[in-house]
Amino acid sequence: MTSTVAAIVARTPDGPLEAGTVERREVGPRDVRIDIVWAGICHSDIHTVRGDWGAQTYPLAVGHEIAGVVAEVGAEVDRFEVGQRVGVGCMVGSCRECANCRAGREQYCDKGFTDTYGARDADGTVTQGGYTSAIVVDEHFVLSLPDALPFEKVAPLLCAGITTYSPLRRWGAGPGTRVAVVGMGGLGHMAVKLAVAMGAEVTVLSQTSSKRADALAFGAVAHHATSDPAVFDELARSFDLIINTVSAPLDVDAYLGLLDFAGTMANVGAPPEPAAMSVFTLFTNQRSFSGSTIGGIAETQQMLEFCAEHGIVPEVEVIRADQVNDAWERVLKSDVRYRFVIDTATLKG
Ligand code: NAP
Ligand code: ZN
Ligand code: ZN
């Protein structure tokens, strides 16, 4: 039997989010039912509801940064037990058979992974995300939350954390590498903390100087406001890796010019518009332009352990369910320090 759970839902692309409900499937043999306690707000939630990346089916509950407690497990589940603290990120399914899935890269599943919200699930229903009081997920896509990580702060690691950890590892951030992080919002502030913990020398490139003190407190060695065009001359050929977390189109050539020999600009920001760049900027210094999306399940667990070991936690502002529309407005204005997390006990069902 399905169950009805409290939710915050979007009923249209442009309207406000409202209190509502969603249906959860019965717990299958390999499923875990999780009572959600904390739900992070990612900019992708806003892109999705607004239709930036394509049409959606409404009503839709978004949210893919989920921290909660196991409420029930299926008969064949052996990795989790009732009462355990667990997390769910951006994926709730994948084919599990293709080469990428078998290599632990479920996010690059040949058949496309199943997004935590807004995707067609195996049973034909549309997946509903974390702005809800409970979720039922195949155990393969459930993460164990290390005790060392504070429960109310851990949820943003499930998207913002892994999405920046994965390209930092892929491109070898560490001692002796110079990393620039463009845009210091939810993803960007995690990129700074993670790259610093990996031993890299980190610079933040922000629109204004308003986040300078925070960037330095997170361990960056420098912060520059890109509103001053002189920055692009001053920092030419200064970085080995640029992690671009910006949610809007950028002047890609200007940022590529900041890369030293064989440097890479790794994009995780996801504006819907195509990126334009000159191949000649890539030719110079043999630069690369690359993309990355979230991370595999094993890699996400590894990232959680890394954060526990290094004492890395997101900066969060806890909000009530009735503050979610204001929170979205603030995300759109780059006025979030640095992730909103919904206390789902305040949902009304
Ligand atoms: P966010 O909290 O809104 O942060 C984005 C930051 O970019 C802002 O805080 C701001 O930082 C900067 N920015 C915003 N508008 C800008 C503009 N017009 N020009 C220059 N800089 C601007 O968003 P988020 O949750 O971190 O997500 C960032 C992007 O990553 C979104 O597009 C999201 O959909 C995408 N994303 C991708 C993946 C993936 O798998 N690849 C996963 C999660 C999210 P400053 O104030 O420092 O300038
Ligand atoms: Zn996200
Ligand atoms: Zn697959």
Side-chain angles (χ1 to χ4, degrees), residues 41-45 53 63-65 90 117 156 158-160 163 187 294 339:
I41 294 180
C42 177
H43 204 120
S44 301
D45 304 345
W53 299 336
H64 56 207
E65 292 181 338
C90 305
Y117 55 76
L158 280 315
C159 176
T163 300
L187 269 58
I294 51 171
R339 207 54 146 179

Side-chain angles (χ1 to χ4, degrees), residues 267-326:
N267 283 265
V268 292
E273 299 81 3
M277 79 202 78
S278 161
V279 291
F280 297 99
T281 322
L282 293 174
F283 293 169
T284 309
N285 259 336
Q286 201 187 37
R287 295 164 174 140
S288 297
F289 182 79
S290 112
S292 188
T293 196
I294 51 171
I297 294 298
E299 189 180 31
T300 305
Q301 193 64 56
Q302 184 190 93
M303 176 276 308
L304 289 165
E305 308 299 340
F306 179 87
C307 289
E309 188 185 326
H310 293 268
I312 297 175
V313 283
E315 304 294 314
V316 311
E317 183 173 335
V318 171
I319 60 164
R320 297 185 312 271
D322 63 6
Q323 294 174 300
V324 71
N325 287 302
D326 292 338

Side-chain angles (χ1 to χ4, degrees), residues 12 83 93 125 137 189 199 237 287 291 322 329 335:
T12 63
T125 59
V137 180
H189 95 291
R237 306 183 179 206
R287 295 164 174 140
D322 63 6
E329 286 310 312
D335 176 28

Side-chain angles (χ1 to χ4, degrees), residues 15 33 50 75 81 100 107 111 135 138 239 248 295 299 335:
R33 182 180 171 96
R50 300 284 183 250
E81 56 189 40
N100 280 329
Q107 78 275 32
K111 296 192 175 131
I135 190 167
D138 182 299
F239 303 110
E299 189 180 31
D335 176 28

Side-chain angles (χ1 to χ4, degrees), residues 6 39 58 123 140 151 153 169 187 210 219 229 257 262 288 310 314:
Y58 301 90
D123 62 6
H140 181 77
F151 200 23
K153 295 188 176 183
R169 283 285 192 230
L187 269 58
S210 68
S288 297
H310 293 268

Side-chain angles (χ1 to χ4, degrees), residues 127-210:
T127 55
Q128 304 287 341
Y131 298 9
T132 55
S133 57
I135 190 167
V136 177
V137 180
D138 182 299
E139 68 166 334
H140 181 77
F141 295 91
V142 179
L143 288 307
S144 301
L145 298 180
D147 290 338
L149 295 171
F151 200 23
E152 74 281 8
K153 295 188 176 183
V154 72
L157 295 179
L158 280 315
C159 176
I162 184 58
T163 300
T164 48
Y165 180 90
S166 189
L168 286 167
R169 283 285 192 230
R170 166 71 180 82
W171 298 105
T177 56
R178 298 157 298 168
V179 175
V181 174
V182 188
M184 200 169 83
L187 269 58
H189 95 291
M190 287 314 308
V192 175
K193 290 187 176 206
L194 289 164
V196 168
M198 289 172 191
E201 182 185 294
V202 181
T203 296
V204 173
L205 303 176
S206 228
Q207 295 165 96
T208 68
S209 54
S210 68

